[in-house]
């Protein structure tokens, strides 16, 4: 069975006092449970198999001892399982994986109403929490959905769409002698449900090809015809988001707008297919720190690669809204190659636009 493609809706929240305390304790219990499952899985890594059910049987009790909730404990096991899967695909030694400094807790699969993290049509969210002594409680949070998500969230509730929820803590501390927590609640729905409610165009206007080169401060688009002739180029900048300390939420909002601007431009200029570099399998490894081993040499900027791949993933998810198809090509040779340098000289292009053109050519 093909893996279900998911789309994540994000809701920001602030909490203080007792609510903040309960959210923070639940996140720490969940993380400790993940640590325990990770350590136990490393001890048994020679007998591990590629089965979620087998992982649940092996490790569910270790997680449940720390966070006494079936859905949260299974969520901890599934999170570590996905790290193990990703490490195999990236050829990273599983012993080199350590949990990073994130704080979160999550359900383990999609359900109607989310159960332990339940969203309502008014965008409020009911959350099951646990104190450090295991005492259970439920708290109601008011949230602020990202732009354009309010109506979609209402439809999730109205049509009883299954979703998998996750709560992520972005910051916490003491303010005015009170504990505070800020973060996001992620609601993962099926991509087909998302697309059916936001699609703008059913088919493209033309048959041209758009090669896309993604970098940390820009998106370069090169449009070619079926013979490989260069028809148009354009750069979509977001330099400001690279400034140190720039707000993360604001940065992704700007990048999101530029992605839509690029796709709309491609649609209006007759592009039917967007060509992207095939990203490495990052998956849940976004949540871990990887030791500097044989797979990742000292000059490999994991943070930048993850950022670029996140933008590529967003382009892939948004392109069908404009009726555009998406194809991937092997990124090998799209920069710093003889062919890339010849393209730069022949057309008088900068290296990023030349990369976009080279990416497009690989699909012809």
């Amino acid at each position: 069975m093909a893996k279900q493609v998911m789309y994540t809706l994000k809701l920001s929240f602030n909490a203080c006092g007792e609510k903040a305390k309960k959210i923070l304790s639940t996140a720490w219990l969940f993380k400790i449970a993940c640590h325990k499952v990770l350590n136990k899985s490393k001890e048994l890594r020679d007998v591990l198999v590629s089965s979620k059910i087998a992982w649940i049987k092996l490790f569910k009790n270790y997680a449940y001892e720390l966070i006494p909730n079936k859905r949260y404990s299974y969520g901890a096991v599934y999170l570590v399982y996905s790290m193990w899967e990703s490490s195999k695909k990236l050829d990273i030694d599983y012993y080199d994986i350590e949990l990073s400094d994130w704080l979160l807790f999550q359900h383990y699969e999609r359900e109607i109403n989310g159960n332990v993290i339940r969203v309502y049509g008014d965008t409020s969210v009911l959350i099951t929490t646990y104190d450090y002594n295991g005492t259970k409680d439920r708290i109601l949070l008011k949230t602020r959905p990202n732009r354009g998500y309010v109506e979609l969230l209402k439809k999730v509730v109205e049509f009883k769409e299954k979703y998998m929820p996750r709560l992520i803590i972005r910051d916490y501390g003491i303010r005015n002698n009170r504990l505070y927590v800020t973060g996001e609640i992620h609601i993962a729905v099926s991509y087909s449900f998302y697309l059916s409610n936001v699609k703008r165009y059913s088919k493209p206007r033309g048959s041209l090809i758009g090669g896309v080169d993604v970098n940390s401060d820009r998106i370069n688009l090169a449009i070619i015809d079926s013979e490989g002739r260069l028809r148009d180029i354009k750069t979509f900048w977001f330099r400001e988001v690279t400034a140190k300390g720039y707000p993360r939420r604001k940065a992704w909002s700007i990048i999101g707008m530029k992605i839509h601007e690029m796709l709309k431009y491609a649609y209006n200029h007759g592009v039917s297919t967007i060509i992207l570099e095939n990203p490495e399998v990052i998956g849940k490894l976004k949540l871990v720190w990887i030791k500097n081993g044989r797979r990742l040499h000292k000059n490999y900027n994991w943070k930048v690669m993850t950022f670029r791949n996140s933008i590529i993933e967003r382009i892939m998810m948004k392109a069908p809204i404009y009726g555009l198809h998406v194809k991937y090509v092997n990124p090998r040779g799209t920069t710093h190659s003889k062919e890339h340098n010849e393209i730069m000289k022949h057309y008088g292009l900068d290296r990023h636009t030349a990369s976009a053109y080279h990416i497009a050519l690989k699909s012809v």
Side-chain angles (χ1 to χ4, degrees):
M1 183 181 293
K3 187 175 180 180
Q4 174 73 62
V5 179
M6 307 291 286
Y7 184 84
T8 302
L9 287 66
K10 298 180 181 180
L11 301 79
S12 299
F13 73 86
N14 296 305
C16 60
E18 282 299 311
K19 287 186 177 181
K21 180 181 176 182
K22 293 178 185 298
I23 291 170
L24 198 57
S25 60
T26 308
W28 275 109
L29 289 172
F30 186 89
K31 182 164 187 174
I32 295 169
C34 289
H35 270 289
K36 192 164 187 177
V37 172
L38 179 63
N39 291 335
K40 289 294 181 180
S41 65
K42 286 181 178 180
E43 292 176 8
L44 300 173
R45 72 171 189 166
D46 292 334
V47 298
L48 295 176
V49 295
S50 298
S51 165
K52 288 184 179 180
I53 296 175
W55 273 67
I56 286 293
K57 289 180 179 178
L58 273 173
F59 302 116
K60 63 180 181 180
N61 291 336
Y62 295 113
Y64 194 85
E65 288 172 359
L66 292 160
I67 186 161
N69 180 286
K70 175 183 174 181
R71 288 171 173 81
Y72 286 151
S73 59
Y74 282 22
V77 176
Y78 276 24
L79 191 149
V80 178
Y81 167 80
S82 62
M83 294 175 184
W84 177 71
E85 271 198 324
S86 294
S87 70
K88 289 195 302 177
K89 292 176 181 178
L90 282 171
D91 192 26
I92 296 171
D93 191 331
Y94 193 50
Y95 276 125
D96 283 342
I97 291 181
E98 301 289 347
L99 293 181
S100 187
D101 58 356
W102 53 260
L103 281 173
L104 62 86
F105 50 92
Q106 67 177 27
H107 200 296
Y108 71 100
E109 65 179 359
R110 291 168 59 231
E111 277 189 354
I112 295 173
N113 292 331
N115 203 307
V116 287
I117 304 176
R118 181 177 299 180
V119 64
Y120 295 107
D122 64 356
T123 73
S124 63
V125 181
L126 185 66
I127 300 168
T128 301
T129 63
Y130 287 86
D131 289 334
Y132 292 112
N133 61 10
T135 302
K136 178 181 176 180
D137 198 2
R138 287 178 181 261
I139 61 174
L140 189 67
L141 288 181
K142 293 181 179 180
T143 69
R144 302 185 310 279
N146 278 13
R147 183 180 178 184
Y149 285 165
V150 175
E151 292 303 315
L152 191 55
L153 280 169
K154 289 180 180 178
K155 290 179 180 179
V156 169
V157 176
E158 179 184 354
F159 298 119
K160 299 186 183 301
E161 170 70 7
K162 290 183 178 181
Y163 60 88
M164 192 186 93
R166 169 187 286 179
L167 185 148
I168 299 175
I169 293 175
R170 297 299 184 192
D171 189 25
Y172 66 93
I174 303 296
R175 184 183 296 136
N176 298 326
N177 295 320
R178 298 188 75 192
L179 178 67
Y180 74 88
V181 166
T182 63
E184 293 178 342
I185 294 170
H186 292 183
I187 303 297
V189 299
S190 70
Y191 181 61
S192 59
F193 175 84
Y194 164 76
L195 196 58
S196 67
N197 284 283
V198 300
K199 196 165 186 177
R200 301 179 186 180
Y201 305 107
S202 59
K203 59 182 181 180
R205 296 178 64 175
S207 58
L208 299 178
I209 298 166
V212 176
D213 180 64
V214 174
N215 288 277
S216 59
D217 63 350
R218 78 193 83 177
I219 298 171
N220 291 86
L221 173 68
I223 299 175
I224 66 172
D225 59 25
S226 59
E227 302 298 319
R229 293 180 292 244
L230 185 63
R231 302 286 291 271
D232 194 12
I233 58 172
K234 191 169 179 63
T235 301
F236 302 84
W237 293 93
F238 38 86
R239 295 185 183 94
E240 63 271 37
V241 307
T242 61
K244 186 175 182 180
Y246 198 84
R248 180 179 178 277
R249 179 182 172 88
K250 188 175 180 181
W252 279 113
S253 177
I254 291 172
I255 293 170
M257 287 189 290
K258 291 298 180 180
I259 289 173
H260 278 287
E261 185 181 331
M262 183 272 292
L263 292 171
K264 186 176 181 180
Y265 185 92
Y267 170 82
N268 287 328
H269 286 74
V271 171
S272 64
T273 305
I274 292 291
I275 312 299
L276 298 166
E277 290 180 302
N278 192 7
E280 289 186 284
V281 181
I282 299 298
K284 293 298 188 300
L285 288 177
K286 294 175 184 177
L287 300 173
V288 304
W289 173 74
I290 303 170
K291 295 176 183 177
N292 185 25
R294 64 183 180 86
R295 174 57 181 79
L296 301 181
H297 58 74
K298 64 180 180 179
N299 294 322
Y300 189 94
N301 194 327
W302 183 261
K303 186 175 181 179
V304 170
M305 284 300 296
T306 300
F307 183 65
R308 287 184 65 251
N309 286 350
S310 294
I311 297 175
I312 290 173
E313 288 170 3
R314 281 166 169 79
I315 294 172
M316 179 272 292
M317 299 292 271
K318 302 291 185 183
I321 295 175
Y322 295 86
L324 304 177
H325 304 291
V326 174
K327 290 184 179 179
Y328 287 121
V329 296
N330 191 325
R332 185 181 298 277
T334 55
T335 60
H336 307 300
S337 66
K338 181 179 179 180
E339 187 175 358
H340 176 262
N341 293 336
E342 289 175 351
I343 290 171
M344 288 176 64
K345 291 178 182 178
H346 182 74
Y347 291 97
L349 303 175
D350 64 78
R351 64 189 182 94
H352 296 299
T353 304
S355 292
Y357 180 39
H358 197 182
I359 290 167
L361 284 177
K362 282 194 168 192
S363 70
V364 176

